[in-house]
Amino acid sequence: MENLAETKIAIVGLGYVGLPLAIEFGCQLQTVGFDIDQLRVDALTQQVDTTLEVDRKDFEKAKHLTFSSNLDDISECNVYIVTVPTPIDASKRPNLKPLISASESIGSVLTEGNIVIYESTVYPGATEEVCVPVLEQHSGLNYNKGFYAGYSPERINPGDKKHRLPSIVKVTAGSTPAVAKFVDELYATIISAEHTLLAPSP
């Protein structure tokens, strides 16, 4: 596990949740915004956001942020934050395919001591029951020995220009007490709300 000064973050998924998060972390720490949609990455590289969640001045302040669709470009990161969508099907069951695919990709580049934080909306227990086994399978590392997990459910209200990410109190969790403390401190670098709330690991 790294200290904050040595943290390099990959934001996996650059929609209305991931992009504002990448912008805020990119103002403070080395950050790579990763998305499998090359057209999306090309637009963001040109400081164009079709979701209208951020504008050019937001891009300009994120001096430590780059964008990529190439897994090699996030292979040296030590914190991975997953913000892919989890849509529901016709029966209102969550479609976890994007989450599983993101976990497979991260697992392929995961190295000793890395932390994977999930912001995607999931049911209780999904992190350890669904995502962690995928990470273990594709990385060859053991959970809470070779790598660690965190959770901080997204609370973005799309299109809301008043209640922006830095002013929203975040709930955070980690798979060990030390990781929980690290995740909480990490989010505290970008959240201007009074405090974040530490919760047990999901």
Side-chain angles (χ1 to χ4, degrees):
M1 183 171 30
E2 308 292 334
N3 60 46
L4 287 175
E6 298 171 337
T7 300
K8 185 173 182 179
I9 300 171
I11 307 295
V12 180
L14 297 174
Y16 74 88
V17 175
L19 180 58
L21 196 66
I23 291 288
E24 294 301 330
F25 276 123
C27 294
Q28 309 287 339
L29 300 164
Q30 291 297 318
T31 303
V32 181
F34 176 86
D35 201 289
I36 60 174
D37 184 345
Q38 184 62 55
L39 292 178
R40 175 72 169 156
V41 169
D42 290 343
L44 295 176
T45 301
Q46 297 299 317
Q47 301 185 342
V48 175
D49 173 30
T50 55
T51 70
L52 304 181
E53 288 298 318
V54 302
D55 55 32
R56 190 168 293 274
K57 72 177 186 300
D58 295 317
F59 285 105
E60 291 173 351
K61 71 180 184 180
K63 304 294 186 183
H64 308 292
L65 174 62
T66 58
F67 298 102
S68 180
S69 61
N70 187 338
L71 275 175
D72 289 342
D73 291 334
I74 62 172
S75 62
E76 295 184 1
C77 293
N78 44 41
V79 174
Y80 297 86
I81 303 179
V82 181
T83 60
V84 297
T86 49
I88 58 174
D89 61 21
S91 300
K92 297 187 177 180
R93 294 172 300 189
N95 177 0
L96 299 182
K97 288 182 180 179
L99 194 66
I100 293 170
S101 179
S103 298
E104 290 172 344
S105 295
I106 293 169
S108 72
V109 296
L110 208 59
T111 57
E112 191 84 22
N114 289 176
I115 300 173
V116 185
I117 303 169
Y118 289 89
E119 284 218 12
S120 300
T121 302
V122 293
Y123 57 82
T127 301
E128 291 188 342
E129 294 170 9
V130 177
C131 302
V132 164
V134 173
L135 293 171
E136 287 185 315
Q137 177 186 354
H138 287 267
S139 68
L141 300 172
N142 293 321
Y143 180 46
N144 279 342
K145 292 181 180 179
F147 73 93
Y148 305 88
Y151 187 60
S152 183
E154 60 93 356
R155 302 186 65 210
I156 293 290
N157 183 25
D160 189 339
K161 299 300 183 181
K162 180 179 180 181
H163 301 97
R164 306 298 295 271
L165 176 62
S167 63
I168 298 174
V169 175
K170 291 280 285 179
V171 177
T172 64
S175 56
T176 71
V179 171
K181 183 174 183 292
F182 173 85
V183 173
D184 197 59
E185 291 175 348
L186 179 65
Y187 277 89
T189 65
I190 64 168
I191 302 296
S192 59
E194 185 175 343
H195 55 77
T196 57
L197 303 177
L198 191 62
S201 177

